Amino acid sequence: MSTPSRSVVLRTALTTVLLAGAAAGLALSGEARQRAAFPHARHEGLFPVCAGCHAGIPDGDSASFFPSPELCARCHDGNQQRKVTWSGPLARPSNVRFRHPRHGELLQQAGDDPVTCESCHSEAGKGRMAVDTRVELGACFSCHAHRATDHLTDATCATCHEPLARSGFTQSRIEALPVPADHDSSDFVLGAHGPEARASSDRCATCHTVERCVACHV
């Protein structure tokens, strides 16, 4: 039996992953409705705490992660301030395993210094309203030392990442997933990947769904 090329294996994996995602109803609903950066600094005097707008974050209530159009209209009514169209951004697809309430509980139990919203979401030294919604890995690793020698090869993926089937990734995002170095070895497809999968299926599930296995193992 001839050894399938790496490109064939990856194309097969991508096809089966996409079919599985579609079957599970994970297709994204298009581009985010509003991506423009919100002028946080101009609203600093109105909201002394972040939960004034993002009331659902501390409790994990996704329905109130962002302010409602009615809240904005209290000022932007066409008289006090010009009317604005605000519907909030759609949730970004992500495979990061993170929950604000649980994170807060763990920090409290550990007795660490209070961690505020700006600890992760604001540029250092620029104040509470210098908001960057996308937290960089450095912010996580400042508390969580990365003990793996290679992030993609010997890390415990399930510590920080959800399985691919829950991610909601688009085709282009799946194609952009990095390939671990050990996948490039000549004996990986017909040799090493079986023991690797049995030893740590969580690692496989970060980038593949079970349908990927069926593509070769009929």
Side-chain angles (χ1 to χ4, degrees):
M1 184 176 91
S2 61
T3 301
S5 69
R6 179 171 173 272
S7 61
V8 169
V9 171
L10 290 178
R11 283 199 301 271
T12 304
L14 174 61
T15 301
T16 52
V17 162
L18 290 174
L19 289 173
L26 293 176
L28 297 182
S29 55
E31 293 297 320
R33 288 170 293 177
Q34 187 164 315
R35 286 295 190 191
F38 181 81
H40 283 87
R42 293 173 59 185
H43 292 76
E44 184 170 8
L46 293 173
F47 301 103
V49 294
C50 300
C53 274
H54 305 286
I57 295 292
D59 299 324
D61 178 14
S62 59
S64 55
F65 276 4
F66 297 96
S68 66
E70 291 76 19
L71 178 63
C72 302
R74 292 179 186 177
C75 292
H76 293 278
D77 58 0
N79 294 316
Q80 300 181 68
Q81 298 287 339
R82 66 179 178 85
K83 288 187 176 182
V84 296
T85 300
W86 166 258
S87 54
L90 293 176
R92 291 187 177 115
S94 174
N95 69 343
V96 176
R97 186 189 298 273
F98 183 86
R99 303 291 181 272
H100 281 93
R102 181 57 178 158
H103 210 69
E105 291 174 6
L106 292 174
L107 289 171
Q108 188 174 19
Q109 292 169 8
D112 290 351
D113 293 334
V115 176
T116 61
C117 303
E118 56 265 34
S119 299
C120 294
H121 290 285
S122 297
E123 298 179 50
K126 293 189 177 181
R128 180 173 63 89
M129 286 296 199
V131 176
D132 183 358
T133 56
R134 296 184 68 85
V135 177
E136 297 297 327
L137 283 177
C140 304
F141 293 157
S142 64
C143 294
H144 301 279
H146 201 319
R147 298 175 183 174
T149 55
D150 185 291
H151 186 101
L152 300 179
T153 303
D154 62 350
T156 305
C157 304
T159 301
C160 300
H161 297 287
E162 299 277 13
L164 180 67
R166 297 181 186 174
S167 69
F169 283 169
T170 61
Q171 177 176 344
S172 60
R173 183 67 185 87
I174 294 172
E175 291 174 338
L177 289 173
V179 179
D182 59 352
H183 286 36
D184 281 327
S185 64
S186 59
D187 66 340
F188 181 78
V189 173
L190 296 181
H193 86 280
E196 287 282 350
R198 287 191 291 271
S200 179
S201 59
D202 286 344
R203 180 192 177 201
C204 303
T206 304
C207 299
H208 303 287
T209 63
V210 69
E211 283 79 5
R212 165 68 186 94
C213 305
V214 178
C216 294
H217 301 280
V218 180

